[in-house]
Amino acid sequence: MSYVNHTILVVDNDQDQAHFTKLALQRVGVITPVQNAKDGEEAIGYLSGRGAFQNRDSYPMPVLMLLDLKLPHISGVGLLSWLREQPALKRLPVVVLTTPVPEADLNRAYELGCNSFLFKP
């Protein structure tokens, strides 16, 4: 079975955290490819298939997004809001994986349809 069509998209501006997330997934046996986006703008480009992300063989649509809320340019909440407005993407499962944030941000993420919320260690 090919897992290329089961990509996970990690959106985190801290590349060390993104790397550790990928390692943690591997450690628990996840063999699905993991793609990274460093901010909300890059994630929108990836999800839209624009620019460097046009080739869907190299950048397949994810089946899960792990999202940090503290992002430059477009915040995680902004990205989640954009995502839920896209008919083809509004059901994409999103797990918010972030450092502690104000409760208002947590509530807003749930209002926008995140599926779960986990704090980074």
Side-chain angles (χ1 to χ4, degrees), residues 38-68:
K38 67 180 181 296
D39 58 38
E41 287 179 348
E42 190 170 281
I44 288 172
Y46 185 103
L47 294 166
S48 300
R50 292 192 311 238
F53 305 107
Q54 290 179 354
N55 183 340
R56 283 295 179 208
D57 290 331
S58 298
Y59 303 102
M61 288 300 290
V63 296
L64 172 67
M65 183 166 64
L66 302 178
L67 175 64
D68 186 7

Side-chain angles (χ1 to χ4, degrees), residues 84-97:
R84 295 310 185 211
E85 293 173 358
Q86 309 308 305
L89 299 170
K90 66 182 177 182
R91 292 185 183 248
L92 176 68
V94 176
V95 174
V96 173
L97 182 60

Side-chain angles (χ1 to χ4, degrees), residues 4-45:
V4 172
N5 294 325
H6 295 92
T7 299
I8 296 172
L9 178 61
V10 175
V11 185
D12 196 325
N13 65 308
D14 184 331
Q15 293 307 298
D16 289 335
Q17 287 289 336
H19 176 73
F20 289 130
T21 298
K22 186 174 182 177
L23 289 176
L25 290 168
Q26 290 173 346
R27 183 171 230 181
V28 297
V30 174
I31 59 173
T32 300
V34 177
Q35 296 281 352
N36 294 315
K38 67 180 181 296
D39 58 38
E41 287 179 348
E42 190 170 281
I44 288 172

Side-chain angles (χ1 to χ4, degrees), residues 70-117:
K70 297 179 180 180
L71 298 172
H73 309 296
I74 297 173
S75 71
V77 169
L79 174 58
L80 192 53
S81 179
W82 174 87
L83 182 76
R84 295 310 185 211
E85 293 173 358
Q86 309 308 305
L89 299 170
K90 66 182 177 182
R91 292 185 183 248
L92 176 68
V94 176
V95 174
V96 173
L97 182 60
T98 194
T99 55
V101 294
E103 189 171 335
D105 289 350
L106 174 104
N107 290 334
R108 184 69 179 134
Y110 276 122
E111 287 170 6
L112 291 169
C114 84
N115 298 87
S116 187
F117 204 102

